[in-house]
Structures are given as structure tokens and as C-alpha cells.
Amino acid sequence: MQTYDLEADGLRGLNSALQAQQNATNQTSWEVVNPKGSHAIAVGLDAPIEVTIKGSTGYYCAGMNQQATVKVEGSVGPGVAENMMSGQVIVDGDASQYAGATGHGGLLVIKGNASSRCGISMKGIDIVVHGNIGHMSAFMAQDGNLVVCGDAGDALGDSLYEARLFVRGSVKSLGADCIEKEMRPEHIEILKDLLDRAGSDAKPEEFKRYGSARQLYNFDVDNAAAY
Amino acid sequence: MKDMDDQPPRTLPIQSATFTNPINAEIRRAAATGIYDIRGGGAKRKVPHFDDLLFLGASVSRYPLEGYRERCDTSVTLGTRFAKKPIELDIPITIAGMSFGALSGPAKEALGRGASAAGTSTTTGDGGMTPEERGHSSKLVYQYLPSRYGMNPNDLRKADAIEIVVGQGAKPGGGGMLLGQKISDRVAEMRTLPKGIDQRSACRHPDWTGPDDLEIKILELREITGWQVPIYVKVGATRPYYDTALAVKAGADVVVMDGMQGGTAATQDVFIEHVGLPTLSCIRPAVQALQDLGVHREVQLVISGGIRTGADAAKALALGADAVAIGTAALVALGDNDPKWEAEYQKLGTTTGAYDDWHEVKTRRA
Ligand SMILES: Cc1cc2nc3c(=O)[nH]c(=O)nc-3n(C[C@H](O)[C@H](O)[C@H](O)COP(=O)(O)O)c2cc1C
């Protein structure tokens, strides 16, 4: 176990040490103490290492992550795991706006609640939120799965493309072109796997599925009122 | 019996300067379709431009250099403020970012080859980085756009500089619309979207708003790329003084200011013609902002939008810019709108030099 004191030794030193880890590294376990809400902690990682952050972080924690598992024993600021490609990011507390924005792959787990625009523009990432999510979540979401064990705020899935949204609780309102869809066996399978990996005991059968009505895919005057 | 000479003199038919034929045609088109017109290119209306400026040549009080005999150094370095590896260019003329999708792979390759031969940089665009342009560009600027189509850390680390696109001169504050005709399998896959749909490129970034967030975003990108490469911030010319000042405050190495004549692949005509400032009018305020902050020449200024010739480039530099970027001129050099294709343009119901509905071309494109 490598321990890094962020307050004493600085952000650049932490990120360059973590980014220098290769696939075959034997320094697979890292602990970051005194994060004190700093921004851009553990960004741009690309090795199968495990990084545990002992406290809360600022913006863009684990941004553009590849392969690594980043655990935050606290809450995270805006844009956690933004543009993640692979690996896992697990947040014990709550997440601020744009959690998992534009993520292409990997799994983001938020044990608390996520704020507005969770999963905005997501492109293949899987996101599981144990609590609730805020308004405008999954705006223009292109691909991947967003699973919400609690409730969703206003305008869920506005201008949605091909991402799948699963919500167990209530949805305050659906955004333009987002509709409830039939839950088929393959969706139950996807949910089961994601809930399992995210450490949630929620039952897949309790969720409703939402997706794109695909009515806004082409630029058409009949859609003018939807914009 | 009336003689012809008895007819009273008549007035000539006068075309209205307000309701011109092109305006009337647009009203008829709008009435028939009910939706705005999407086109490429920049503002076509006449605005004050570099043609309105002249150089003072050498005279008794100034000493000239001998053309083609004495050395004239045209090199420029971009990104000297924070980047460990600034970009060194042999000429102060760069190729602007143009999306893969609007441009084909071969066009991207051609631009890369030409720019590398001339000792300058090319820029990716919406839709991500292609091997064609990375492979053939000795210096490649990677755009970080609101859509984040194709954005990935591997390509980010391959870039020689990163350009955060806040806006474009043709559509400051507006997103893009890549119409379905241009969405090939490869373009769709790179953007993670279904084939054939009309793709909106978002108008604002998904994970930051305002200059304070931008500062943190720049920090993140620098941390991911180890503070090696310069970070540019590109803005569409609207409030050039404040936008430049805020980009500097947010930590940019280079500010790219794109005026309203700047080309685009596709957006609403009404946006192209009625939003933004002419290129000429935004250079001095941008330079003034850099000077007021004491960073003129330390944070470099790149100007684009309607740069056609060496004279335009020289005038932009004389006004205080460090370099210029060209989009449309590079496409024209590749053969776009060449009169030798006039017969084909006629078949499309248009003429060379006027054609801007690139998305409607299904066969040949730049
Ligand atoms: C076909 C085409 C595609 C463009 N695509 C992009 C783009 O993806 N991102 C961007 O920031 N600017 C884009 N631009 C704008 C250029 O980067 C640049 O700002 C503009 O072309 C400069 O003006 P000029 O065309 O008069 O030289 C595009 C321009 C054209 C003509």
C-alpha cells in the first residue's frame, strides 16, 4: 500500500505517480490522504490499480479514467469520472452536477445522491446511483445505462439518443423525446448485473425503463414545438 | 388619335434594397417549409474587412528588406506561458479545426501533408481525431468541444496542443447540425450515434459553465497531459475584450478569436449572418485585453475568420495578432467551389463560389 499526502506533497506529484503506473505494476494499491476537496485528483489514470481517496474531492475526480478503480470515501464535486473510458469509480457519499458526463465506458457507482445533469451526454458508461438524481439527467445521452435506485428530477432524458435509463422510484417529469418503455428480459439481465456489481440489493423487477422515442432524430418542422 | 410621344415618362422598376430578391426567396422558402435554413460557410454580407486597411511601405523614414535576398523570419511560438512543449511554427498561418464528417479522411490527410510541408499545424474538429490527420500532421491541435464526440485520453495524449472550443465566429453560442446525409458508418461510429440521424453538436460544454469552472477544466486537462502541451481557448467574436481577458484568467496559453466571416460546416443561416462581430473589429479589443493584463505576446493571439491571402494575414499580425488560422481558404485550395466543376454545381441548382450546402452533396465533397 502506497500512501500519498495530497496536502503535503501536491497534486502534480500524485497524478504523475499514478499515471506512471504500467499494466504490470506491483504498486497496485494507493491511498490518498488529505484530499480536502481538491480538484482533478487521480485524473488520466491508465493501469489496473486501486486508488482510495480518504475524504471528499472537488471537480473532475477520476476524470478520463482508464482501467483503474478509484474509491472516494467522501463526496465528490462536479464532473466525477467525466469522460471515463473503462475501470470503476465508486463514491461513498453524494455527487455534485454532471457525474459521469460524456463517459464512454466503465462503471460509476454513487452510493448517495447525484445532483443535476447526471450522465449528461453519456456515450457508453454505466452509472448506478443508489439514491436520487437531479434535474436534466441523461441530457442528450447517447449510449450506456443509467440506473437510479431512488427518484429522478425534472426533464429526465431530454433529447435522449440510445442510452437506457432505469429508475426505481418516481420521475418528476420526462424531457423531450424520452418515454417509458417495456422492460424486456434482456433489460432485467442488464439491470441484475449492474446492481450486483454496484453492491445494491434492489430488485430489477422494481424498476421502470425509459428510452428515446426517436422522434427528434431528424430535423423536421413537425418537431418545432418539442425544442 | 394618340401618338407614342404623348405617353407620360415612366419610372424605372427599382429593386427594393430592403426586400431584395434573395430576401424574398428566403421568405418564400420559409413559408413553404416552416423551418430555418441550414447551410455552411461564413457570413456573406459585406462587413468591414482587411480590404479597408492599407500598409505604409518603406520610405525615407523606414528601411526596406531586399525581397528574396534578405532573411525575413516568419517563425512564431505558440504556448509559451505554461506548456513545457510550446508549438514552434515556421509560418504564422495555421489550419483551423474542421470536423471529420464535414471533411473526408483524404481531405484531412491532404491538409496534414500541406501544413507539415509548410511547417505549420493542423487542427482536428468535431467528431474526433483520425489516424489520417494525426499520421500526416507534424503538429496537430486536438479540439475539446462541447459534444465531446470521439474524445478520449489516448488521442489527448497524442496531441501537440489542445484547443478548448467555446464557440465559433460563424455561430457564437450556437451548436452545430451535421445533417444525416454526411453521417457515414465511420462518422457515426466515431460519434457513438446511429447512422443517418441529424446530429446536434451541443452549444455548451456538458461539465463546466463560466470562467471559474473553465479554470478548473484547464487544470484537469493539464494534469492529464502532464503540463506538456499548450492549451488554447477558441471563442467566437462577440465580446472580444472580456472573452480574451477571461480566457487569460482561466489559464489559457493561446486565445483563438474567430470572427463572423469564419466558415462552418453547418448551422442556421440566420445565425451565420446576424450573430457575432466582423473579424477586423475584434482584433484590437483582444490585443488591448492582453496588453492591459500585461500578457501580450506571452499569451498568443490567433485570429481567424475570412483570412484569404498573405495580405490579410499580415494585416492581422500588424494589428497585434501572433498568428492566423484558415478554414475556407484551405478548402478552396483543395478544390472546393472550383469553377472547373461549374457544370456539376449547375446540376445542383447553384454556382461555384456560392455553394455552401455541402451536406446536400452525396458524391464529391471536400
Ligand atoms: C467545413 C468546416 C468545418 C468546420 N468545423 C469546425 C469544427 O469542427 N470545430 C471548430 O471549432 N471550428 C470549425 N470550423 C471553423 C474553423 O475552425 C474556423 O474557425 C473558420 O473556418 C475560420 O474562418 P475561414 O473559414 O474564413 O477561414 C469549420 C469550418 C469549416 C469551413
Side-chain angles (χ1 to χ4, degrees), chain B residues 96-99 103 125-126 143 145 165 168 234 258 261-265 304-306 326-328 331 358:
Chain B
M98 291 182 275
S99 60
L103 267 58
D126 217 1
Q143 285 198 330
L145 293 123
V165 179
Q168 283 176 239
K234 174 176 178 174
D258 192 29
Q261 301 100 307
T264 174
S304 59
I326 58 169
T328 305
L331 299 186
W358 295 310

Side-chain angles (χ1 to χ4, degrees), chain A residues 202-214:
Chain A
K203 308 268 168 302
E205 295 75 20
E206 298 165 356
F207 288 76
K208 283 183 177 158
R209 177 169 77 103
Y210 303 88
S212 178
R214 304 192 180 96

Side-chain angles (χ1 to χ4, degrees), chain A residues 129 131-133 137 146-153 156 164-172 174 180 183 191 203-210:
Chain A
V129 182
N132 307 322
I133 58 171
S137 288
L146 171 63
V147 180
V148 184
C149 300
D151 304 330
L156 176 71
R164 285 172 294 263
L165 316 179
F166 301 97
V167 183
R168 184 164 70 162
S170 66
V171 172
K172 194 151 182 220
L174 293 173
E180 190 184 333
M183 185 76 101
L191 254 178
K203 308 268 168 302
E205 295 75 20
E206 298 165 356
F207 288 76
K208 283 183 177 158
R209 177 169 77 103
Y210 303 88

